[in-house]
Amino acid sequence: QVQLVESGGGSVQAGGSLRLSCAASGYISSNYYMGWFRQAPGKEREGIASIGTYCYTTLADSVKGRFTISRDNAKNTLYLQMNSLKPEDTAMYYCAAARVIVGGACPRAPADFADWGQGTQVTVSS
């Protein structure tokens, strides 16, 4: 059983920064890819960043240049550094983990992930 717990969300003004963390417990291989998603009210869940040992990091165009995904395998923790936040970044943010190893581009579709956290809210005011 894999458990993922996000933290670090909150309210911030436009232009500000936040760092989200996702602590993983249970059996999760450091070789599996992990990712960050977000979902705003009335919108579909969007994969915004993905990272893995054997696949290369991918970022959604909407966050390139502003967000950075990283992972500390020793701490079983996934991070999302968010800079230059915009009101349109307001959403519930989720971390997710796969149970497979892939090469090429790290996937970002929800169907490519097996385990999910409960989410942490990020609100950006103008």
Coordinates of all heavy atoms in Angstrom, one line a residue, residues 85-126:
L85 N 4.0 32.9 -9.4 CA 2.6 32.3 -9.4 C 1.6 33.3 -10.0 O 1.7 34.6 -9.8 CB 2.2 31.9 -8.0 CG 2.8 30.5 -7.6 CD1 2.8 30.4 -6.1 CD2 2.1 29.4 -8.3
K86 N 0.6 32.8 -10.7 CA -0.4 33.6 -11.3 C -1.8 33.2 -10.8 O -1.9 32.0 -10.3 CB -0.4 33.4 -12.8 CG 0.9 33.6 -13.5 CD 0.9 33.2 -15.0 CE 2.2 33.5 -15.6 NZ 2.2 33.1 -17.1
P87 N -2.8 34.0 -10.8 CA -4.1 33.6 -10.4 C -4.6 32.3 -11.0 O -5.3 31.5 -10.4 CB -5.0 34.8 -10.7 CG -4.0 36.0 -10.6 CD -2.7 35.4 -11.2
E88 N -4.2 32.1 -12.3 CA -4.7 30.9 -13.0 C -4.0 29.7 -12.5 O -4.4 28.6 -12.9 CB -4.5 31.1 -14.5 CG -3.1 31.5 -14.9 CD -3.0 33.0 -15.2 OE1 -3.6 33.8 -14.3 OE2 -2.4 33.4 -16.2
D89 N -3.0 29.8 -11.6 CA -2.4 28.6 -11.0 C -3.3 28.1 -9.8 O -3.0 27.0 -9.2 CB -1.0 28.9 -10.5 CG -0.1 29.2 -11.6 OD1 -0.1 28.5 -12.6 OD2 0.8 30.1 -11.5
T90 N -4.3 28.8 -9.4 CA -5.2 28.4 -8.3 C -5.8 27.1 -8.7 O -6.5 26.9 -9.7 CB -6.2 29.5 -8.1 OG1 -5.6 30.7 -7.6 CG2 -7.2 29.0 -7.0
A91 N -5.7 26.1 -7.8 CA -6.2 24.8 -8.0 C -5.9 23.9 -6.8 O -5.1 24.3 -5.9 CB -5.6 24.2 -9.2
M92 N -6.4 22.7 -6.8 CA -6.0 21.7 -5.9 C -4.8 21.0 -6.5 O -5.0 20.6 -7.7 CB -7.1 20.7 -5.6 CG -6.8 19.7 -4.5 SD -6.7 20.4 -2.9 CE -8.4 20.5 -2.5
Y93 N -3.7 20.8 -5.8 CA -2.6 20.1 -6.4 C -2.4 18.8 -5.8 O -2.5 18.6 -4.6 CB -1.3 21.0 -6.1 CG -1.2 22.2 -7.0 CD1 -2.1 23.3 -6.9 CD2 -0.3 22.2 -8.0 CE1 -2.0 24.3 -7.8 CE2 -0.2 23.3 -8.9 CZ -1.1 24.4 -8.8 OH -1.0 25.4 -9.6
Y94 N -2.2 17.8 -6.7 CA -2.0 16.4 -6.3 C -0.7 15.8 -6.7 O -0.2 16.2 -7.8 CB -3.1 15.6 -6.9 CG -4.5 15.9 -6.6 CD1 -5.2 16.9 -7.4 CD2 -5.2 15.4 -5.5 CE1 -6.5 17.3 -7.1 CE2 -6.5 15.7 -5.2 CZ -7.2 16.7 -6.0 OH -8.4 17.0 -5.8
C95 N -0.1 15.0 -5.9 CA 1.0 14.2 -6.4 C 0.5 12.8 -6.7 O -0.5 12.3 -6.1 CB 2.2 14.2 -5.4 SG 2.0 13.2 -3.9
A96 N 1.3 12.1 -7.5 CA 0.9 10.8 -8.0 C 2.1 10.0 -8.3 O 3.2 10.6 -8.6 CB 0.0 10.9 -9.2
A97 N 2.0 8.7 -8.1 CA 3.1 7.8 -8.4 C 2.7 6.7 -9.3 O 1.6 6.2 -9.2 CB 3.6 7.2 -7.1
A98 N 3.6 6.3 -10.2 CA 3.4 5.2 -11.0 C 3.9 3.9 -10.4 O 4.5 3.9 -9.3 CB 4.1 5.4 -12.4
R99 N 3.6 2.8 -11.0 CA 4.1 1.5 -10.5 C 4.9 0.8 -11.7 O 5.0 -0.5 -11.6 CB 3.0 0.6 -10.0 CG 2.3 1.2 -8.8 CD 1.3 0.2 -8.2 NE 0.6 0.8 -7.1 CZ -0.3 0.1 -6.3 NH1 -0.5 -1.2 -6.6 NH2 -0.9 0.7 -5.3
V100 N 5.4 1.6 -12.6 CA 6.1 1.0 -13.7 C 7.3 1.9 -14.0 O 7.4 3.0 -13.5 CB 5.2 0.9 -15.0 CG1 4.1 -0.1 -14.8 CG2 4.7 2.2 -15.4
I101 N 8.2 1.3 -14.8 CA 9.4 2.1 -15.2 C 9.3 2.3 -16.7 O 9.0 1.3 -17.5 CB 10.7 1.3 -14.9 CG1 10.8 1.1 -13.4 CG2 11.9 2.0 -15.5 CD1 11.9 0.1 -13.0
V102 N 9.5 3.5 -17.1 CA 9.4 3.8 -18.6 C 10.6 4.6 -19.0 O 11.3 5.2 -18.1 CB 8.1 4.6 -18.9 CG1 6.9 3.7 -18.6 CG2 8.1 5.9 -18.3
G103 N 10.9 4.6 -20.2 CA 11.9 5.4 -20.8 C 11.3 6.6 -21.6 O 10.1 6.7 -21.6
G104 N 12.1 7.4 -22.2 CA 11.6 8.5 -23.0 C 11.0 9.6 -22.1 O 11.6 9.8 -21.0
A105 N 10.0 10.2 -22.5 CA 9.4 11.3 -21.8 C 8.6 10.8 -20.6 O 7.8 9.8 -20.8 CB 8.5 12.2 -22.7
C106 N 8.7 11.3 -19.4 CA 7.9 10.9 -18.3 C 6.5 11.3 -18.6 O 6.2 12.4 -18.9 CB 8.4 11.6 -17.0 SG 10.0 11.1 -16.4
P107 N 5.6 10.3 -18.4 CA 4.1 10.6 -18.7 C 3.5 11.6 -17.8 O 3.9 11.7 -16.7 CB 3.5 9.2 -18.6 CG 4.6 8.2 -18.7 CD 5.8 8.9 -18.1
R108 N 2.5 12.2 -18.3 CA 1.7 13.2 -17.4 C 0.2 13.0 -17.5 O -0.5 13.8 -17.0 CB 2.0 14.6 -17.8 CG 3.4 15.1 -17.5 CD 3.5 16.6 -17.4 NE 2.8 17.3 -18.4 CZ 3.3 17.6 -19.6 NH1 4.5 17.2 -19.9 NH2 2.6 18.2 -20.5
A109 N -0.2 11.9 -18.1 CA -1.7 11.6 -18.2 C -2.1 11.0 -16.9 O -1.4 10.1 -16.4 CB -2.0 10.8 -19.4
P110 N -3.2 11.3 -16.3 CA -3.7 10.7 -15.1 C -3.7 9.2 -15.2 O -3.5 8.5 -14.2 CB -5.1 11.3 -14.9 CG -5.0 12.7 -15.5 CD -4.1 12.4 -16.7
A111 N -4.1 8.6 -16.3 CA -4.2 7.2 -16.4 C -2.9 6.5 -16.3 O -2.9 5.2 -16.1 CB -4.9 6.8 -17.8
D112 N -1.8 7.2 -16.4 CA -0.5 6.6 -16.3 C 0.0 6.5 -14.9 O 1.1 6.1 -14.6 CB 0.5 7.4 -17.1 CG 0.3 7.3 -18.6 OD1 0.0 6.2 -19.1 OD2 0.3 8.3 -19.3
F113 N -0.8 6.9 -13.9 CA -0.4 6.9 -12.5 C -1.4 6.0 -11.7 O -2.5 5.9 -11.9 CB -0.4 8.3 -11.9 CG 0.7 9.1 -12.5 CD1 0.5 9.7 -13.8 CD2 1.9 9.3 -11.8 CE1 1.5 10.5 -14.4 CE2 2.9 10.1 -12.4 CZ 2.7 10.7 -13.7
A114 N -0.8 5.3 -10.7 CA -1.6 4.3 -9.9 C -2.0 4.8 -8.6 O -3.0 4.4 -8.0 CB -0.7 3.0 -9.8
D115 N -1.2 5.6 -8.0 CA -1.4 6.1 -6.6 C -1.5 7.6 -6.5 O -0.7 8.3 -7.1 CB -0.3 5.5 -5.7 CG -0.2 4.0 -5.7 OD1 -1.2 3.4 -5.2 OD2 0.7 3.4 -6.2
W116 N -2.4 8.0 -5.7 CA -2.6 9.5 -5.6 C -2.7 10.0 -4.1 O -3.1 9.2 -3.2 CB -4.0 9.8 -6.2 CG -4.0 9.6 -7.7 CD1 -4.2 8.4 -8.4 CD2 -3.7 10.5 -8.7 NE1 -4.1 8.5 -9.7 CE2 -3.8 9.8 -10.0 CE3 -3.5 11.9 -8.7 CZ2 -3.6 10.5 -11.2 CZ3 -3.3 12.5 -9.9 CH2 -3.4 11.8 -11.2
G117 N -2.3 11.2 -3.9 CA -2.5 11.8 -2.7 C -3.8 12.5 -2.6 O -4.6 12.5 -3.5
Q118 N -4.1 13.1 -1.4 CA -5.4 13.7 -1.2 C -5.4 15.2 -1.7 O -6.5 15.8 -1.8 CB -5.7 13.7 0.3 CG -5.9 12.3 0.8 CD -7.1 11.6 0.1 OE1 -8.2 12.1 0.1 NE2 -6.8 10.4 -0.4
G119 N -4.3 15.8 -2.0 CA -4.2 17.1 -2.5 C -4.0 18.2 -1.5 O -4.2 18.0 -0.3
T120 N -3.5 19.3 -2.0 CA -3.2 20.5 -1.2 C -3.7 21.7 -2.0 O -3.3 21.8 -3.2 CB -1.8 20.6 -0.7 OG1 -1.6 21.7 0.2 CG2 -0.8 20.7 -1.9
Q121 N -4.4 22.6 -1.4 CA -5.0 23.7 -2.1 C -3.9 24.9 -2.3 O -3.2 25.2 -1.3 CB -6.2 24.3 -1.4 CG -6.8 25.5 -2.0 CD -7.5 25.2 -3.4 OE1 -8.0 24.1 -3.6 NE2 -7.4 26.1 -4.3
V122 N -3.9 25.4 -3.5 CA -3.1 26.6 -3.8 C -4.0 27.6 -4.3 O -4.7 27.4 -5.2 CB -2.0 26.2 -4.8 CG1 -1.3 27.5 -5.2 CG2 -0.9 25.3 -4.2
T123 N -3.9 28.8 -3.7 CA -4.8 29.9 -4.1 C -3.9 31.1 -4.3 O -3.1 31.5 -3.4 CB -5.8 30.3 -3.0 OG1 -6.6 29.1 -2.7 CG2 -6.7 31.4 -3.5
V124 N -4.0 31.7 -5.5 CA -3.1 32.8 -5.9 C -4.1 34.0 -6.1 O -4.9 33.9 -7.0 CB -2.3 32.5 -7.1 CG1 -1.4 33.7 -7.4 CG2 -1.5 31.3 -6.9
S125 N -3.9 35.1 -5.4 CA -4.7 36.3 -5.6 C -4.0 37.3 -6.4 O -2.8 37.4 -6.3 CB -5.1 36.8 -4.2 OG -4.0 37.1 -3.4
S126 N -4.8 38.1 -7.1 CA -4.2 39.1 -7.9 C -4.0 40.4 -7.2 O -4.5 40.6 -6.1 CB -5.1 39.4 -9.1 OG -6.4 39.8 -8.7

